[in-house]
Amino acid sequence: MSGEARGADADARDGGGGGDARDGGGGGDARDGGAEARDRGGDDEARARGGRRAQLKHTGLRPGWTTGACATAATTAAYTALLTGDFPDPVSITLPRGQTPAFALAVEELAAGRGTATAGVVKDAGDDPDVTHGALVRATVRGLPPGSGVVFRAGPGVGTVTLPGLPLKVGEPAVNPVPRQLMREHVARVAAEHGGTGDVEVTVSVDHGEEIARSTWNGRLGILGGLSILGTTGVVVPYSCSAWIDSIRRGVDVARAAGLRHVAACTGSTSERTVVSEYGLPDIALLDMGDFAGAVLKYVRRHPVDRLTVCGGFAKLSKLAAGHLDLHSARSQVDKGFLSDLARQGGADRASASRIAAANTGLEALRLCEAAGVPLGDLVASRARDEALAVLRGAPVAVDVICVDRAGVVVGRG
């Protein structure tokens, strides 16, 4: 079952920098497809040997598209039809990393009398074992008065947020921030091209979405009524543990061969951007760790570098802090009781600790501590560093840990 299928907040295999909702939020990013984005310089051969691109090359697996990309395509087609009377088929969109996939339309419904247009796209998850593969994602667009902007609604099969701790307010449709932004951008493009105002209501629905959502963790996170519309790059990269770990090892080997003394293991694109900003590291110093903290630490133990920075979302690194070396949501969970105990050590009173233990997500626990003046991010980063050093078993490697939130803001150092 895929990351998108299990998740409520970001595609774990999406190649992006969203949160890790499967872990209850608060993670800065998901696994990101690092090599594809690492075209800013450095050695081409080195880039080709590591990261996401290497994973796909080694496995031969076919990537697919997220529900967010499908919803954007459907929205683009529907709004175009609303303004012109014709549905573009196939409809092309531009993803955050510049890809321009084209989507065939499975549904075209123009209701001029009601002032609405609906388009539908069947999700193709590629070779990823995703329960949302084949789902029909629809977008219905209706014009609004000037100045209204883009308003999102949850149609049948799309959930509604009912608990705090996610990057959406309670009561909002479970259409995540990055897909919302992507849809806004495409609405604006269509409006500019065809003379619209860009003020529309977009209702996203997924056929049989409520049924499919029973195979996800949405209900546990308080997302009721259906699926989440997810994605940070729009691309679903099929998952292969062995290929991913092999790409990590190749990345360490390439960095060592290039004489680099400092490498960074990142959970995804958001944390990657953070370490580049913090340390100015070259591309070949960046390891696309994803969920495999143990794989990085054990290989670096045998093949040391002078310095290792571990950077990732707060929720994921809280699991490393608790002693988990596999950060995948199917194999480890954010332990709010553990976070509550850490908060007590950091000065939280009993009442605050109880609220943290009862938090819906890791993000909510972090925000509660920030409000109480408790440095939970630093405590998690410090404990994660201790766990990393324990795995390294005295190898001559200096370690520092950085926790980030969804926006890449540093929330903890250790």
Side-chain angles (χ1 to χ4, degrees):
M1 192 181 301
S2 79
E4 176 156 358
R6 282 189 304 271
D9 197 28
D11 286 325
R13 300 197 245 318
D14 150 40
D20 189 353
R22 296 163 308 149
D23 299 329
D29 41 35
R31 294 184 290 278
D32 107 82
E36 181 176 351
R38 296 171 195 162
D39 56 4
R40 300 179 295 275
D43 183 80
D44 289 338
E45 181 181 358
R47 286 200 305 275
R49 291 174 63 193
R52 258 310 162 83
R53 185 177 295 171
Q55 177 182 334
L56 281 177
K57 182 178 179 181
H58 295 161
T59 63
L61 298 175
R62 185 174 62 88
W65 311 112
T66 64
T67 48
C70 295
T72 299
T75 297
T76 301
Y79 191 35
T80 301
L82 193 64
L83 295 179
T84 69
D86 294 316
F87 288 87
D89 188 12
V91 56
S92 295
I93 63 172
T94 301
L95 298 177
R97 296 193 177 181
Q99 304 102 315
T100 55
F103 297 79
L105 296 183
V107 172
E108 299 179 7
E109 298 173 359
L110 182 60
R114 298 197 303 270
T116 67
T118 299
V121 169
V122 175
K123 174 174 172 173
D124 178 3
D127 290 329
D128 195 58
D130 189 329
V131 297
T132 60
H133 176 70
L136 179 57
V137 180
R138 303 174 187 253
T140 298
V141 177
R142 179 174 68 89
L144 294 177
S148 300
V150 179
V151 178
F152 295 96
R153 305 293 184 202
V158 170
T160 298
V161 177
T162 66
L163 293 175
L166 296 173
L168 299 168
K169 294 180 180 179
V170 171
E172 283 288 311
V175 180
N176 263 37
V178 173
R180 287 185 185 222
Q181 182 58 30
L182 197 59
M183 283 185 265
R184 289 189 188 101
E185 291 170 358
H186 283 76
V187 164
R189 292 176 192 175
V190 172
E193 184 175 352
H194 299 294
T197 67
D199 301 290
V200 295
E201 176 187 80
V202 178
T203 300
V204 183
S205 59
V206 179
D207 286 19
H208 310 294
E210 188 167 7
E211 178 183 346
I212 297 170
R214 297 189 187 113
S215 298
T216 75
W217 290 2
N218 277 17
R220 173 175 170 178
L221 295 175
I223 296 177
L224 303 182
L227 294 164
S228 301
I229 303 301
L230 307 171
T232 52
T233 66
V235 180
V236 175
V237 178
Y239 186 84
S240 166
C241 291
S242 60
W244 200 299
I245 291 171
D246 184 53
S247 72
I248 288 171
R249 293 169 176 168
R250 286 169 178 258
V252 174
D253 291 344
V254 168
R256 282 166 49 88
L260 298 182
R261 304 167 68 89
H262 182 189
V263 300
C266 306
T267 56
S269 60
T270 303
S271 53
E272 184 178 282
R273 287 192 295 270
T274 298
V275 295
V276 169
S277 176
E278 290 272 327
Y279 301 117
L281 293 175
D283 293 340
I284 60 172
L286 304 174
L287 306 175
D288 194 2
M289 177 176 73
D291 291 318
F292 299 106
V296 170
L297 294 168
K298 292 171 186 176
Y299 198 71
V300 169
R301 183 176 71 209
R302 299 191 298 270
H303 305 274
V305 292
D306 288 354
R307 183 177 180 185
L308 170 66
T309 296
V310 177
C311 184
F314 170 80
K316 278 192 182 293
L317 293 190
S318 76
K319 295 196 286 186
L320 176 59
H324 298 288
L325 299 182
D326 184 339
L327 310 183
H328 194 281
S329 62
R331 295 178 286 277
S332 60
Q333 303 297 314
V334 174
D335 185 342
K336 267 80 76 175
F338 168 74
L339 294 180
S340 176
D341 291 342
L342 275 186
R344 285 285 281 170
Q345 295 172 27
D349 59 28
R350 192 177 302 276
S352 295
S354 295
R355 287 193 293 271
I356 293 160
N360 183 39
T361 65
L363 176 61
E364 184 182 1
L366 177 65
R367 298 306 181 218
L368 287 169
C369 283
E370 288 175 344
V374 176
L376 184 60
D378 291 336
L379 294 167
V380 163
S382 179
R383 185 66 68 88
R385 178 178 178 273
D386 291 344
E387 293 295 330
L389 290 172
V391 176
L392 288 170
R393 297 180 187 171
V397 181
V399 177
D400 67 294
V401 174
I402 301 175
C403 295
V404 298
D405 66 10
R406 297 178 184 280
V409 175
V410 175
V411 296
R413 296 179 186 272

